Amino acid sequence: MDNDVRLAVLIDEGNIMTDEHTIDLDALRDVYRHERDRRIRPDGARQYARTAGEFGYYAKDPYTDRTEREPVGDRVNVLIIGAGFGGLQTGAFLREAGIDGIRMMDEAGDVGGTWYWNRYPGVRCDIESYVYMPLLEETGFMPTERYATGEEIRQHAVRIAKHYDLYRDTLFQTRATSLTWSDEGAEWTVTTDRGDEFRARFVVTSSGTLTQPKLPGIEGIDAFRGHTFHTSRWDYGYTGGDQTGGLEKLRDKRVGVVGTGATGLQVVPLVAEYAKELVVFQRTPSTVDVRDNRPTDPNWAAEQKPGWQRERMDNFLEVLAGDPVEESLVTDGWTKTPSLQREILSGSFGDSTDTELDDAVTMNRIRARVDEIVEDVPTAEALKPWYRYMCKRPGFSDTYLQAFNRPNVTLVDTADHHGITRMTENAVVVGDEEHELDCVIFATGFDAGVSGVVSGTLPVAGRGGRQLLEAWGRGPRTLHGFSTHGFPNLLQLGALQNANSVNFVHVLQEQASHITAMIAAAERSGAAWVEPTAEAEEAWVREVFATAHDTAAFQAECTPGYYNGEGTAAITGMTYSPGPVAFHRLLREWRETRMHEVLVTDEQAYALAQGAYAEATA
Ligand code: NDP
């Protein structure tokens, strides 16, 4: 860090500047650029190794033994790919709507999605449980804490599956390998990696976007002879204990944790408590704001009136989107910074200089908190984040910074070396410093990709055999993100050309309702299938681009990470910028007045099939 530049920023006494008029934005921007430039790598997103092929064992399921079964070759009404909260809510609403013949499929050994995989010590949701965990009133459950543990959330996914009888026809440990539409049967043929080949009238995909664990492509990573694993496949056989602690087997171990994102923040305090030595390898520090977790107050829980969860969820979304509310019901780290989050998410946008000043005040408070907690001055300096608040996923913890005051914990700042330099048989090397270790735990995140459908790992052939990715040759084309012309009865959940929010489970709930409404309308009306017209799709794509908030300038100034394509590209135009509140209003109106537009009659279906046939044979 260049001290002259930093001193220019710290024009106030100490480094706590809460008076926005004393902040020199030009100097602050210089510091941020300096910190970005230290970390930019020419190989961008190519620096990572996929946990496939030779590294496939990093992605192996440590929680459920593989069960052999016979392939299936039957027909179902609705196939839901993905049994996380998106798929589960869709299944729940379809059941409520009286729609039968539902089959859920997932690569995991059970429901839960991200909460199935991420069982590392300390795992919790960083969004308030009362608004994050879906269907609480419907299933009669109240979270025990404001920020529930991962295990409580996973168990809640199981509760939902049982409550709505969604285990009845599941295919776990199964990955769909192709989807092929047939006009004749008005159905999809689905093949899987278990040899299944069955038919489904509707296919709903909800397969997540942060699912494939990734590793840094560190030279010599495969030469290391000690133990290694990724946080999303925690090896409790090696560490002992469970998500709450008790990692007794680490008492005589020298452990390295690589990565200080949202996961690193949760893992480090517990590993620090048990390991003989812990070395934390940091490239970019996270913001670490106050967590303030607490047990659920039974009096508060008893006072809640029917409909309370919906009201609280809507209120949280409105506050973050910048919509006027009488009272903010959730007051936490997220509701303190809505205008800053809208810089890269969505909602109504204010004056950018005002936002930048707010950003600087927030970041100064967060940097000051490091000084208040961390005793060793060089360690505290290295833990201070120098970038705009939303350059990285905001972090919250009341135990992470404190862990660096323990005598057995060392922070190694790798920024000047663009991460870890290499690994040897028994050590992690940064620059010319070797750190001998028994175990290296990678908290290095996930491929920030898109669903299998969008990435092409699940090939989809629609009407006339046309591949979805070919139809999207010049970019994704959907109506509201859910459906594409030429791909009947294929309904997708996800943020693409749809809404986004930090409380993504809420967005998924709206999507599940909307998909259920479309399927129910098709069943009621006797439609041949559900499919948008090419005109409606074109109009939506134009709307998404016309209203897009350009985040390129903001992203270009950020330290690299998956939010900005590792500093090489800005990711824009993917979601509906006016925000989730506006989007959900738009969907409600559409359902009331325009639903009929996607319900394809038998005559229309015949004409569409003929058209596709003529095109394919031309
Ligand atoms: P991230 O991608 O956010 O973090 C990966 C970490 O690994 C970063 O600190 C990164 O540094 C570091 N890293 C990568 N390569 C190297 C290298 N070569 N040398 C040293 N360090 C390296 O992954 P997470 O698992 O922390 O989080 C992923 C996402 O999961 C979050 O953004 C969030 O959306 C979600 N999540 C949500 C939680 C919740 O409670 N809702 C909890 C946990 C995760 P750098 O920053 O410099 O790239």
Side-chain angles (χ1 to χ4, degrees), residues 115 118-119 123 148-156 243:
W115 303 102
N118 286 283
R119 304 193 195 188
V123 58
T149 61
E151 182 57 13
E152 186 165 312
I153 301 171
R154 192 183 70 77
Q155 291 289 351
H156 186 59
Q243 290 180 27

Side-chain angles (χ1 to χ4, degrees), residues 147-194:
Y147 301 95
T149 61
E151 182 57 13
E152 186 165 312
I153 301 171
R154 192 183 70 77
Q155 291 289 351
H156 186 59
V158 171
R159 181 176 299 110
I160 292 171
K162 287 186 177 157
H163 185 84
Y164 291 97
D165 190 19
L166 296 171
Y167 279 114
R168 199 195 297 166
D169 185 12
T170 46
L171 294 179
F172 289 126
Q173 302 178 323
T174 304
R175 186 167 56 80
T177 49
S178 72
L179 302 176
T180 309
W181 174 254
S182 142
D183 282 325
E184 216 170 299
E187 63 191 7
W188 290 93
T189 298
V190 184
T191 62
T192 76
D193 64 351
R194 289 300 194 102

Side-chain angles (χ1 to χ4, degrees), residues 562-614:
Y562 77 85
Y563 276 14
N564 67 354
E566 300 299 333
T568 55
I571 300 171
T572 52
M574 301 291 274
T575 63
Y576 181 60
S577 283
V581 176
F583 183 68
H584 297 155
R585 200 177 301 129
L586 180 151
L587 285 188
R588 271 197 302 278
E589 284 168 17
W590 182 91
R591 285 199 293 270
E592 280 163 21
T593 56
R594 300 184 59 184
M595 172 75 88
H596 61 276
E597 292 179 16
V598 294
L599 302 177
V600 174
T601 62
D602 285 340
E603 297 77 51
Q604 289 167 330
Y606 180 76
L608 284 167
Q610 291 300 310
Y613 177 75

Side-chain angles (χ1 to χ4, degrees), residues 128 130-131 137-138 300 303-319 325-330 503 506 509-510:
E128 196 196 66
Y130 318 126
V131 295
E137 290 184 76
E138 292 80 350
W300 172 84
E303 275 165 19
Q304 300 308 307
K305 306 246 168 8
W308 71 268
Q309 192 186 21
R310 181 82 232 174
E311 188 192 345
R312 198 173 181 91
M313 286 167 71
D314 286 343
N315 181 272
F316 186 61
L317 215 61
E318 283 157 10
V319 170
V325 292
E326 261 175 38
E327 183 196 357
S328 171
L329 298 175
V330 179
N503 190 11
H506 184 173
Q509 184 165 106
E510 298 287 341

